[in-house]
Amino acid sequence: MAPHRRLLSALIPAQTAALMLGAAACGGSSDTPAAADRPAWNDTAVDAVSRPVIGSGFTASTALGRDGHLQTVVSDVRSGKRLWARPAVISGRPAAMGVAPPAIAGTAGHTVVASVETQGHGTALVGRDARTGAQRWTRAVGTTFGPARCGTLLCVSEQTARKSAAFTVLNPETGKPAWHMPGVAEVEWAGPGRVVVFRMSAHPTVEAHDLATGKEVWAFPVENALGRGADLSGGWAFGSVGDTLIGYLAPYQTRANGPLSAFGFFSLRLDDGKQQWVRKRLLRVYPSANPAVSLITREVDDHDRYGGFTELDPRTGRSVTRLTTSGTPKATWWLAFPDNLSAVGFLAHDQPSLMYDLRTGKAVGGHARAWSFCTTTPAPLKITGQQGFYPIAALCPYDLKSGHRLDAAQAVPPSWYTGAVDGWRVWRDERGGLHGVHDGDGTSPGMYQ
């Protein structure tokens, strides 16, 4: 998930933290608009508020209607044609996690889109035919953080507000449970026969389970890597590269001037859960790529003071380069990154800004373009019956020489932000419109995945 949770005000101002909660070597170029030979589409009539998901030729997101009610919106990923929409609800999901997207699961010809809906006097997870929207099944889940695809199956934590909370794996075609285990968990990786989850508890663990039976394959206590005192209120993120899972736990400060909770990055071997490397007291910066794609981090010393930026090799955890903050603008700045993540920009809105090459440490001259958040003062969503939710944050291009924002309508965001599935990239703009482009062949995670 995303990321995607609470961020530290020392890295970004407090009013922007909510904007980015939702909660991440692709480098697709966006120097020009999508060309005619790259299939592309736009749907500006929708107001998507969750991240879009892609699967089996479909794309789905949670959108906000003009009446303040949420809905699941499903489109053909190749054409952008709207296929159907059905009412959706939030039931027990913390606002800090942002609005949950639907889940697309199943096999070709038997694909289901699952989302949380009102059923009678309660809420249920409903599986609908991805092409027609016809209801296939329903399952009462009470409070839930929302569904997620796990391999060819569907996973969901249900009854999350009760002691009887359980992580359940379902057959997406029938909605029948394959297995379950107590507690609340989030899917971080899934293969043909195995799923790796993050168990949310006082002492969180990363666990691998057999996808068919639920049998535990291995378990790794996160505090073994980062030390005692983990606090999930700060947030977390995961990504996989090859046979390695990279995890990140963000810091949390329970009281003003109090100590930070344990935080940093670590990696595990997916095969057996063995720790590969760990880097404590480094922050994930925002905006940023998924930890498996690129690791540009910010240092925090033993006195909780913020320092320079360090780029890590996701495979080894070793420092590739380091950049101090001695050359940052005097005005309030925001981080910005180019398409290929080769530099770090310090964006001072509408003022001359600076960008530094990560390899040489030298300033990048001229009209360097970089991507940062479209707004630093987001407005909360007006969802009927819900408060404190914000839409998934959109990126816009900026000219670092002037600090001016460029025309986002003619620019395709970098793939480290959007991610890709079979070459298709779908993203939300700052007004909630959805856009899709096919400009590659591979699958890679984005900022919020």
Side-chain angles (χ1 to χ4, degrees):
M1 174 180 309
H4 56 268
R5 302 345 189 236
R6 245 173 121 164
L7 307 177
L8 289 178
S9 58
L11 199 57
I12 53 173
Q15 66 267 27
T16 305
L19 166 70
M20 286 166 281
L21 306 174
C26 308
S29 175
S30 55
D31 291 335
T32 59
D37 60 347
R38 295 191 296 172
W41 53 265
N42 305 285
D43 182 358
T44 57
V46 67
D47 184 9
V49 293
S50 78
R51 69 178 179 89
V53 294
I54 304 173
S56 302
F58 302 94
T59 182
S61 61
T62 304
L64 182 62
R66 293 182 179 179
D67 61 357
H69 291 89
L70 296 173
Q71 57 182 346
T72 298
V73 176
V74 178
S75 304
D76 186 303
V77 75
R78 296 173 181 84
S79 66
K81 179 182 177 181
R82 192 88 59 84
L83 298 176
W84 54 270
R86 295 289 187 278
V89 295
I90 294 173
S91 177
R93 182 177 172 91
M97 295 180 73
V99 179
I104 303 175
T107 57
H110 299 281
T111 306
V112 165
V113 175
S115 59
V116 182
E117 301 183 17
T118 299
Q119 292 277 310
H121 297 290
T123 55
L125 183 66
V126 179
R128 296 185 178 275
D129 182 272
R131 178 65 59 183
T132 67
Q135 182 175 308
R136 291 260 191 95
W137 50 263
T138 179
R139 176 181 175 85
V141 292
T143 52
T144 178
F145 294 166
R149 181 180 65 85
C150 46
T152 58
L153 302 180
L154 189 66
C155 294
V156 62
S157 288
E158 48 192 8
Q159 309 297 343
T160 53
R162 299 182 178 182
K163 293 182 178 180
S164 58
F167 176 82
T168 305
V169 179
L170 307 172
N171 180 323
E173 296 182 30
T174 64
K176 294 182 178 180
W179 54 272
H180 73 277
M181 61 184 184
V184 179
E186 179 180 89
V187 177
E188 307 302 351
W189 178 89
R194 186 178 295 184
V195 60
V196 176
V197 302
F198 179 54
R199 294 286 292 269
M200 305 174 199
S201 62
H203 301 286
T205 59
V206 181
E207 300 177 1
H209 292 261
D210 182 272
L211 193 54
T213 66
K215 180 181 178 181
E216 183 180 293
V217 180
W218 54 259
F220 180 85
V222 172
E223 290 177 323
N224 282 4
L226 301 179
R228 301 281 291 182
D231 192 323
L232 300 187
S233 301
W236 61 90
F238 286 85
S240 62
V241 53
D243 187 43
T244 298
L245 181 74
I246 300 169
Y248 169 67
L249 203 62
Y252 185 72
Q253 198 170 42
T254 56
R255 64 182 187 279
N257 300 317
L260 299 177
S261 60
F263 67 98
F265 295 85
F266 61 96
S267 77
L268 306 175
R269 195 160 58 196
L270 285 168
D271 183 55
D272 56 11
K274 181 180 179 181
Q275 179 181 302
Q276 300 297 287
W277 56 263
V278 61
R279 294 295 300 268
K280 300 179 182 179
R281 303 193 70 79
L282 288 179
L283 293 173
R284 185 187 181 193
V285 300
Y286 292 83
S288 65
N290 181 279
V293 173
S294 177
L295 277 177
I296 300 174
T297 68
R298 192 169 189 186
E299 304 163 357
V300 181
D301 67 18
D302 292 337
H303 299 287
D304 295 342
R305 295 174 300 200
Y306 298 86
F309 296 86
T310 300
E311 182 182 11
L312 307 181
D313 182 336
R315 294 183 178 274
T316 65
R318 295 175 182 172
S319 298
V320 176
T321 187
R322 184 177 183 275
L323 185 69
T324 67
T325 57
S326 58
T328 57
K330 294 181 180 180
T332 300
W333 50 265
W334 307 85
L335 290 176
F337 295 94
D339 294 4
N340 60 7
L341 296 170
S342 63
V344 174
F346 301 96
L347 172 65
H349 284 277
D350 296 321
Q351 299 182 49
S353 303
L354 299 171
M355 178 180 284
Y356 294 91
D357 189 294
L358 277 169
R359 298 294 177 267
T360 66
K362 296 181 179 180
V364 178
H367 292 277
R369 191 182 72 171
W371 294 83
S372 191
F373 293 108
C374 297
T375 178
T376 55
T377 56
L381 294 170
K382 296 180 180 180
I383 305 173
T384 301
Q386 300 288 343
Q387 293 182 339
F389 283 87
Y390 289 79
I392 203 77
L395 292 192
C396 287
Y398 294 85
D399 177 4
L400 267 293
K401 185 175 183 179
S402 64
H404 294 336
R405 186 167 136 179
L406 302 174
D407 183 8
Q410 297 300 317
V412 177
S415 57
W416 55 259
Y417 168 74
T418 64
V421 176
D422 295 330
W424 275 102
R425 303 197 286 130
V426 179
W427 66 94
R428 172 194 181 274
D429 67 29
E430 62 179 318
R431 294 181 177 85
L434 290 176
H435 308 269
V437 64
H438 187 278
D439 56 2
D441 298 315
T443 295
S444 60
M447 176 173 165
Y448 295 109
Q449 297 166 290

